[in-house]
Amino acid sequence: MSRPRIVIVGAGFAGYRTARTLSRTTRGRAHITLLNPTDYFLYLPLLPQVAAGVLEPRRVTVSLSDTLPNVRLVLGEADRIDLDGQTLHYTGPEGEGGTLAYDRLVLAAGSVNKLLPIPGVAEYAHGFRGLPEALYLRDHVTRQVELAAAADDPESCAARCTFVVVGAGYTGTEVAAHGQMFTDAQVRKHPLRQGMRPRWMLLDVAPRVLPEMDEKLSTTADRVLRQRGVDVRMGTSVKEATPDGVVLTDGEFVETRTLVWCVGVRPDPLVESLGLPMEKGRLLVDPHLQVPGRPELFACGDVAAVPDLDKPGSYTPMTAQHAWRHGKVAAENVAASLGLGGARKPYRHRDLGFVVDLGGAKAAANPLGVPLSGVPAGAVTRGYHLAAMPGNRVRVAADWLLDAVLPRQAVQLGLVRSWSVPLDTSSPELARVPGGPERRQEESARSGPGAAIAADTHDGGTGAGSSQGRAGEEPAKGHPGSRVTQDRPGSGTAQRRSEEELAKGRPGAEPARNWPTDEPAKGPVGGGSAKGQPGGESAKGRSGGESARSQAGGEPAKGHAGGVPARNQPGGEPAAKNRPGGEPAKGQPGGVPARNQPGGEPAAKNRPGGESAKNQPGSTPQPPPGQPPPGPDTAPGPVKRSDAPDDSAKGDS
């Protein structure tokens, strides 16, 4: 008799606990497959300490292969689930596709950043859901302090040393607390010329810090933050984000280059297209974590709306503590449904309290309902994390000890750039890379009482705020590989919307928009960036001359790689006028021959002897096909941000 096949989607708190419990329960009597984009489990509660330089990144990651015996790890992201055929289709890290058949499926895909319909947030803010975002924030904060120390302009110095965190929940509070300590330590070693001090702001529309937790915890955290110098503003949030700063709901404009978005999370969009009953974006399950009417389908963690048996009519909140315990119950019930374990059990939760690490020896905790603060709370908090972590305990403890006796290493490695970690993405655990197989998503980022962003962009969710290119649109002629697969809700098939392939010659190219004609748009994506350049203003003095409207951030220029081919080429149109340096010579390949040559017109202005392109010694050669445009900070998609280390980089956040 063949062994049953169990597939688990996601290796967060719920998915990892499910896989570990099933491995111990089944003891090799079942095929267990774990599908996850990364090969590690991320211990999210310690992520703020990575951003603040307390812990090294690998300390908060636990190898899946090393800690999950008898579990097969498959790297990839689920794209489509055929509920009737009991198969799951996924895309691997190098773009390859695959299919997994199952007898039992456990959905534990987790959550992504929650977006709100606030202008500019998708373009200029960054979330805090994955390791790439934490690494980016650490580099970015370090860079801003270093640039501020070298700045002669007091206003520029103040803007770079102002850091705005939106969301005073668990994550936002810890980010602000650790961030203030991190920047203060940098300034002590390298004082700012104007004698300024880094300023951290914590905003939330709630009436108090940590509104979902005990009021005593909230009071303790608020007191520590204010004593440390954090500008805590309750009842206030961001009304609009711009390249130069943020407009608050009370009308004040705060100049800043850093906006950290910690307002909450929403379930992974994969479950939305299953066509099954939902509750605020989460899949409805019974107390046994089983989907009604689908005996082979289980869900747990942030994607599942699990009834709270102690509070009839409500569901368990989306917290790591619940997800971790969901996983254990889900594993036991899956094993029971296959005859490999005992009887099924409903999920019941007993609150053991919460802990909030505020940096140093400061913390707020209420273990078993006993409120603590100061050093005792700090000891309980770190002891809890060491006990809860499934690995790396000795290394984490060693890093804490070293941080207590040695100064932190405040250096920027530059491994993760701004465009690599867009806020509007369905894969916060993965950093975007030029030419990499990105998961495209068209799902509207709905969260909260109002609609969020109109639609995710097709460049992998860079948050350009564009609503073009939704499902069902045909790609413009000449854009290879830009067709988007669609969902069929209610058809028994769940599909994560994605492009079939990247545009040739342009990593991360944006799919075509549904304009009345087949020509791509000549304007910038989102309407805010200057002529499509990532970061706002066109860099006239940079390589490539004056920025063309069809550079990265808008539609590709006609005749360029990824755009519409020249008219004299098969199926094409004439070379675009907006190539770097001005209008191309008519005698160029694909154009009309020059008059002074056989059968042609005189040489165009940009040819030798004519008028040269702006700021260029001559016409600028284009980069080879398949490579991004020149410049270290040019994103491979329509990203409006720039991390250029000069004062012109006003969009850097």
Side-chain angles (χ1 to χ4, degrees):
M1 181 177 178
S2 62
R3 293 183 294 172
R5 300 160 299 179
I6 304 173
V7 175
I8 304 168
V9 179
F13 279 91
Y16 181 84
R17 186 77 184 276
T18 301
R20 192 172 74 168
T21 305
L22 276 172
S23 174
R24 295 173 177 176
T25 302
T26 59
R27 297 180 181 180
R29 293 176 292 171
H31 286 288
I32 305 173
T33 301
L34 178 61
L35 177 67
N36 198 58
T38 63
D39 65 348
Y40 59 80
F41 159 76
L42 176 64
Y43 190 74
L44 273 170
L46 293 181
L47 205 57
Q49 298 190 29
V50 174
V54 178
L55 297 176
E56 288 302 310
R58 286 186 296 178
R59 303 294 185 259
V60 299
T61 61
V62 178
S63 171
L64 298 177
S65 300
D66 292 346
T67 58
L68 296 176
N70 302 319
V71 174
R72 175 194 174 204
L73 173 64
V74 175
L75 294 178
E77 298 180 84
D79 293 325
R80 181 165 53 88
I81 301 173
D82 185 351
L83 296 177
D84 297 329
Q86 295 191 188
T87 56
L88 181 149
H89 302 270
Y90 68 92
T91 300
E94 297 182 352
E96 73 282 6
T99 302
L100 297 173
Y102 62 85
D103 297 304
R104 295 293 183 272
L105 177 64
V106 182
L107 292 178
S111 54
V112 298
N113 294 307
K114 181 170 71 175
L115 301 177
L116 298 176
I118 300 176
V121 165
E123 294 90 339
Y124 304 114
H126 284 289
F128 204 79
R129 289 292 301 163
L131 196 56
E133 292 170 321
L135 293 176
Y136 165 75
L137 183 60
R138 184 169 72 175
D139 275 3
H140 173 77
V141 169
T142 302
R143 178 169 61 255
Q144 295 307 309
V145 173
E146 292 172 349
L147 291 175
D152 295 326
D153 180 15
E155 293 184 359
S156 174
C157 178
R160 292 190 182 280
C161 282
T162 299
F163 308 94
V164 179
V165 181
V166 184
Y170 184 96
T171 301
T173 299
E174 288 196 339
V175 168
H178 283 277
Q180 185 73 66
M181 290 187 64
F182 182 46
T183 52
D184 283 351
Q186 287 183 265
V187 172
R188 280 196 297 268
K189 291 185 293 184
H190 306 285
L192 302 178
R193 291 185 179 181
Q194 289 78 19
M196 297 180 180
R197 182 190 178 191
R199 176 193 183 194
W200 284 77
M201 298 183 65
L202 181 61
L203 313 176
D204 202 308
V205 294
R208 59 185 175 90
V209 175
L210 302 174
E212 69 278 7
M213 297 186 183
D214 184 81
E215 189 171 352
K216 292 183 178 179
L217 286 181
S218 174
T219 302
T220 299
D222 187 272
R223 183 179 66 251
V224 171
L225 290 172
R226 295 182 188 274
Q227 289 175 350
R228 199 166 284 170
V230 177
D231 186 358
V232 181
R233 299 194 186 185
M234 295 295 97
T236 306
S237 188
V238 172
K239 182 179 180 181
E240 180 183 1
T242 71
D244 300 322
V246 293
V247 180
L248 306 185
T249 51
D250 59 8
E252 180 183 355
F253 179 77
V254 178
E255 290 193 21
T256 181
R257 302 291 184 269
T258 308
L259 180 59
V260 187
W261 192 254
C262 303
V263 297
V265 296
R266 61 187 175 99
D268 190 286
L270 174 65
V271 300
E272 296 182 3
S273 53
L274 281 166
L276 298 174
M278 309 286 290
E279 172 64 27
K280 295 182 179 180
R282 294 195 284 173
L283 191 62
L284 276 174
V285 298
D286 61 22
H288 300 92
L289 306 181
Q290 193 170 29
V291 177
R294 291 283 178 177
E296 78 286 352
L297 182 60
F298 293 76
C300 54
D302 290 348
V303 299
V306 181
D308 190 338
L309 298 181
D310 296 328
K311 299 177 182 178
S314 62
Y315 301 91
T316 58
M318 299 166 63
T319 64
Q321 193 174 113
H322 280 288
W324 184 252
R325 296 173 184 181
H326 285 175
K328 183 176 185 295
V329 175
E332 293 173 346
N333 290 337
V334 168
S337 70
L338 295 171
L340 302 177
R344 297 194 308 162
K345 299 178 181 178
Y347 176 74
R348 288 185 179 275
H349 173 72
R350 187 168 70 91
D351 189 1
L352 299 179
F354 288 92
V355 295
V356 182
D357 193 323
L358 301 175
K362 300 295 180 67
N366 61 346
L368 301 177
V370 179
L372 298 175
S373 61
V375 176
V380 169
T381 298
R382 296 203 168 183
Y384 170 81
H385 287 315
L386 287 179
M389 288 192 68
N392 291 345
R393 296 185 181 94
V394 175
R395 290 186 172 93
V396 169
D399 274 6
W400 282 340
L401 178 61
L402 292 175
D403 181 68
V405 298
L406 296 176
R408 297 181 192 175
Q409 294 176 296
V411 295
Q412 48 168 324
L413 302 179
L415 300 178
V416 182
R417 308 302 292 176
S418 174
W419 54 265
S420 300
V421 284
L423 177 66
D424 195 359
T425 176
S426 55
S427 299
E429 64 274 8
L430 295 177
R432 296 181 63 227
V433 294
E438 304 297 338
R439 181 175 70 186
R440 273 36 173 202
Q441 180 190 340
E442 304 165 350
E443 179 62 18
S444 206
R446 292 184 294 270
S447 56
I453 306 305
D456 289 12
T457 56
H458 285 258
D459 65 296
T462 60
S466 171
S467 59
Q468 294 93 336
R470 296 191 178 98
E473 293 183 0
E474 291 296 326
K477 298 178 180 179
H479 286 253
S482 58
R483 185 173 61 85
V484 180
T485 58
Q486 302 182 37
D487 290 335
R488 295 183 295 276
S491 64
T493 299
Q495 182 170 341
R496 194 192 298 273
R497 290 142 288 219
S498 60
E499 286 186 350
E500 293 183 350
E501 59 181 19
L502 295 173
K504 298 179 181 178
R506 225 179 135 254
E510 182 185 28
R513 305 175 183 179
N514 196 18
W515 296 97
T517 66
D518 289 332
E519 296 184 6
K522 297 182 179 180
V525 177
S529 173
K531 296 187 179 182
Q533 282 285 354
E537 300 179 4
S538 60
K540 295 185 178 181
R542 294 184 179 178
S543 174
E546 181 176 357
S547 69
R549 294 180 181 176
S550 298
Q551 291 292 340
E555 292 293 321
K558 299 176 184 178
H560 286 199
V564 181
R567 185 174 283 174
N568 290 344
Q569 295 183 12
E573 296 193 5
K577 296 182 179 181
N578 51 356
R579 299 178 71 169
E583 182 176 355
K586 294 183 179 180
Q588 296 283 347
V592 181
R595 286 179 178 173
N596 293 340
Q597 296 187 18
E601 298 181 359
K605 294 181 179 180
N606 289 340
R607 299 293 294 271
E611 183 180 350
S612 60
K614 298 180 181 180
N615 298 330
Q616 297 291 327
S619 118
T620 304
Q622 296 301 311
Q627 298 205 7
D633 303 316
T634 303
V639 180
K640 296 184 181 179
R641 311 173 59 83
S642 172
D643 287 355
D646 58 351
D647 291 335
S648 64
K650 296 183 179 180
D652 187 356
S653 60

